[in-house]
Amino acid sequence: MIPADHPFFVLHADLPREGPGETADVAWAAEVAGTPDTARILDAACGPGGDLGALLRAAPKGHVTAIDLHAPFIDAARARWGADGRVTLTVGDMTTPEGPFDLIWCAGAVYFLGIEAALAAWRPRLAPGGAIAFSEPCLFTDAPSAEAIAFWQGYEGLTDAAGIAARVTAAGYETLATRALGDIAWESYFRPQEARIARLRPGADAGLAAVLDEAEAEIAGWRACRAETGYLLSVVRPA
Ligand SMILES: C[S@@+](CC[C@H](N)C(=O)[O-])C[C@H]1O[C@@H](n2cnc3c(N)ncnc32)[C@H](O)[C@@H]1O
């Protein structure tokens, strides 16, 4: 994890979301999972809560438990959702809330644990018939460029859709459906960052400038390689 006082969090403080995502993906996943109106949902590694509105729309009579390790992200989510009685916000590890949950939603964070470990940890937290939707780095081509692989900064678990499905099966789950996150999801993450970079660049010290350079390189890297790699969203259920 990145230390809380790192200049990374100067760039990332109070951004609307901390990874790619769009509301249509949440609605799609909830429909595939058969999520009921009254669903108990876990937003695992919720960041600043960018998916909370869409999750609540998917289960208008339900409840969302949102958890993240980084307290300032939970503070940001609390500023937006703390008054909504359908939301519980907690600082902590995403595998710890007991549930049971009808849907566990995890956008851009299963790779911290690995697919098998995350699915194993969540299995006892699922209600009967419950499902997990998670996004995972994915190669969309058999012959990825060096740039597409480098985009994921050495992530050892990097694989393709078949590799992700194999890990889901190995964890004792079945894959109900998958789809790749689209450009809107990625730009929803990158455009607010670009605006923030433009604001922070004048007067940035060396530490912050390095963070801004890295973010710009990440954004350019994805735009150059987006046909080759991105996030695959999988909806899975215990087999
Ligand atoms: C790429 S961000 C995605 C955040 C959010 N889902 C979104 O799409 O905006 C990854 C998040 O995972 C959180 N995280 C990493 N490991 C975690 C863990 N074991 N438990 C809870 N949160 C974790 C980080 O603090 C960070 O907010």
Side-chain angles (χ1 to χ4, degrees):
M1 295 295 296
I2 302 168
D5 59 354
H6 192 279
F8 175 88
F9 290 112
V10 177
L11 171 60
H12 284 262
D14 300 323
L15 290 176
R17 54 178 316 119
E18 280 299 320
E22 63 171 309
T23 57
D25 286 325
V26 175
W28 171 82
E31 187 169 339
V32 168
T35 304
D37 274 9
T38 55
R40 298 150 295 181
I41 298 175
L42 174 64
D43 187 353
C46 62
D51 289 324
L52 283 175
L55 290 168
L56 288 167
R57 277 194 292 282
K61 297 177 192 157
H63 187 92
V64 181
T65 299
I67 188 163
D68 198 283
L69 278 179
H70 187 60
F73 288 162
I74 292 296
D75 290 342
R78 194 167 279 125
R80 287 152 81 191
W81 296 103
D84 193 318
R86 295 172 300 162
V87 178
T88 301
L89 290 154
T90 311
V91 177
D93 187 277
M94 61 182 164
T95 60
T96 55
E98 288 199 353
F101 298 106
D102 301 293
L103 177 68
I104 296 177
W105 169 260
C106 186
V110 156
Y111 59 76
F112 287 107
L113 302 177
I115 292 172
E116 284 109 319
L119 296 186
W122 284 325
R123 194 177 188 118
R125 278 87 162 86
L126 281 174
I132 299 171
F134 69 95
S135 58
E136 172 72 8
C138 185
L139 296 169
F140 300 137
T141 168
D142 292 340
S145 64
E147 290 79 9
I149 291 171
F151 176 74
W152 296 106
Q153 301 178 333
Y155 173 47
E156 285 181 6
L158 185 60
T159 184
D160 58 9
I164 292 170
R167 285 181 201 152
V168 169
T169 303
Y173 284 70
E174 63 171 321
T175 299
L176 303 179
T178 64
R179 73 178 193 178
L181 266 59
D183 289 1
I184 292 173
W186 283 89
E187 295 295 350
S188 299
Y189 175 47
F190 287 147
R191 291 218 173 127
Q193 270 191 72
E194 287 181 309
R196 178 71 59 83
I197 290 166
R199 198 149 57 72
L200 292 173
R201 182 67 79 182
D205 64 17
L208 181 56
V211 166
L212 304 184
D213 291 348
E214 200 176 322
E216 281 182 335
E218 183 189 15
I219 294 167
W222 175 76
R223 288 181 183 150
C225 301
R226 66 183 201 260
E228 296 180 74
T229 193
Y231 273 112
L232 187 75
L233 180 59
S234 298
V235 183
V236 307
R237 173 174 287 151

